Amino acid sequence: MSEPVHVLFVCLGNICRSPLAEGLFQDKVNAAGLEGEVVVDSAGTGGWHVGAPADARMTATAATHGTDLSRLKARQLERHDLHAFDHVFVMDKSNLHDTLALDPDGDHGTRVRLFREFDPEPGDYQVPDPYYGGAAGFETVYAIADRTTDAILERLAVVYGWDLEDA
Ligand code: 4NP
């Protein structure tokens, strides 16, 4: 069997946006029977919340849609991740800057991409940070992450030849 494809989602704190993307994408990978083909993870560019569970508001919103984030723990992005992961999807332009700054001499053009480049309704190409806002922000982030993780799985299926028809 070939090496699994490694997919990483990155935001600032790794307690709202990127754990949601990780949870959604993992569920979709599992539903498609691709567990052995894909490794899914998330990380934050900042270290404030390392070891913490996802934000209770994000976990609650995800749970109302049937997505379980309770197992996830925040970790900080490391330089090594930029080489260990085949695809790194970042939530906003600040995350993109901070991610690339970890290894400024590396060639990451195809590995590190804005998550919403794959959103069929990309808006400004950034996932808004819900941390300091109200409940509606978490619903907005859920809708963006749900349709964008669908689109990313479909795109990777084309690239890697996975059959999603069985899902
Ligand atoms: P996230 O949200 O990047 O989507 O996990 C945030 C979480 C924490 C903070 C900012 C954004 N913070 O400033 O602590």
Side-chain angles (χ1 to χ4, degrees), residues 21-130:
E22 176 186 350
L24 278 165
F25 196 70
Q26 185 71 65
D27 283 355
K28 291 169 188 187
V29 162
N30 295 353
L34 295 169
E35 295 97 320
E37 315 276 343
V38 192
V39 171
V40 187
D41 197 3
S42 66
T45 59
W48 311 281
H49 301 283
V50 167
D55 185 285
R57 298 164 296 172
M58 190 75 263
T59 302
T61 299
T64 66
H65 295 278
T67 306
D68 177 21
L69 305 182
S70 63
R71 68 188 179 281
L72 303 179
K73 293 267 183 291
R75 74 170 179 92
Q76 189 166 14
L77 182 71
E78 298 170 18
R79 187 174 190 268
H80 169 73
D81 291 318
L82 298 183
H83 303 278
F85 285 85
D86 302 292
H87 301 279
V88 179
F89 298 103
V90 303
M91 296 294 146
D92 63 31
K93 290 175 187 172
S94 163
N95 303 152
L96 182 62
H97 174 270
D98 293 343
T99 297
L100 295 176
L102 277 178
D103 186 9
D105 299 325
D107 178 12
H108 307 297
T110 57
R111 287 172 186 251
V112 182
R113 308 281 289 271
L114 282 168
F115 182 71
R116 290 192 79 185
E117 270 188 53
F118 299 86
D119 186 347
E121 303 165 49
D124 70 352
Y125 291 92
Q126 308 192 82
V127 183
D129 183 349

Side-chain angles (χ1 to χ4, degrees), residues 11-19 48-49 95 129-132:
C11 63
L12 176 61
N14 194 210
I15 55 170
C16 297
R17 295 165 292 175
S18 65
W48 311 281
H49 301 283
N95 303 152
D129 183 349
Y131 190 67
Y132 294 106

